[in-house]
């Protein structure tokens, strides 16, 4: 079982930015960002209490079970998985074949 700190979900539900939460808790926006990026593996009870006070939640609300959300970044021209690349090349091949058929019809 994987447990992670679900601070971003609670912060967004409260309608707060990272800077707003930083002002309310006294922690830096960088620290909050690290927690939200799952780079922080634990919180002190004091930190949990500050976040809960600022977000009007209970300490258990800060923890979530399952896989932490991953930030999806897509670089131009990079396939997300091998199947997408195959599908993409098949699609390009199909489009190329369709264009060839159209060109042959125009020539006739």
């Amino acid at each position: 079982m994987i447990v992670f700190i679900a601070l971003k979900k609670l912060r967004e539900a409260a309608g707060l930015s990272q800077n707003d939460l930083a002002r309310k808790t006294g922690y830096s926006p960088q620290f909050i960002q690290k927690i939200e990026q799952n780079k922080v593996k634990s919180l002190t009870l004091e930190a949990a209490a500050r976040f809960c006070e600022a977000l009007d939640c209970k300490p258990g609300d800060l923890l979530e079970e399952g896989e932490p959300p991953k930030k999806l970044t897509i670089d131009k021209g990079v396939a997300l998985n091998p199947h997408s690349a195959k599908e993409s090349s098949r699609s390009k091949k199909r489009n190329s074949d369709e264009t060839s058929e159209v060109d042959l019809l125009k020539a006739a």
Side-chain angles (χ1 to χ4, degrees):
M1 164 178 38
I2 297 174
V3 177
F4 66 97
I5 303 166
L7 185 63
K8 182 176 183 177
K9 184 171 135 181
L10 293 170
R11 177 184 58 77
E12 288 177 343
L16 297 174
S17 69
Q18 289 178 344
N19 287 329
D20 293 335
L21 187 56
R23 279 189 288 278
K24 285 182 161 225
T25 60
Y27 291 114
S28 71
Q30 293 82 8
F31 178 63
I32 292 168
Q33 184 179 36
K34 284 181 182 180
I35 295 170
E36 291 183 358
Q37 292 174 346
N38 299 304
K39 293 180 180 176
V40 172
K41 302 298 178 195
S42 64
L43 286 180
T44 64
L45 291 175
E46 180 185 350
R50 284 191 200 181
F51 285 124
C52 287
E53 186 176 327
L55 297 169
D56 192 30
C57 68
K58 296 180 181 180
D61 297 337
L62 289 171
L63 302 177
E64 210 166 281
E65 183 181 349
E67 289 294 318
K70 299 208 181 326
K71 186 173 183 177
L72 179 64
T73 57
I74 301 174
D75 293 329
K76 188 175 180 180
V78 175
L80 292 178
N81 62 45
H83 299 293
S84 322
K86 288 178 186 174
E87 290 300 318
S88 179
S89 66
R90 285 183 196 150
S91 176
K92 287 178 185 175
K93 173 84 173 122
R94 252 185 262 125
N95 289 342
S96 171
D97 291 345
E98 290 169 4
T99 305
S100 299
E101 288 175 6
V102 171
D103 291 341
L104 291 173
L105 291 174
K106 285 181 182 177

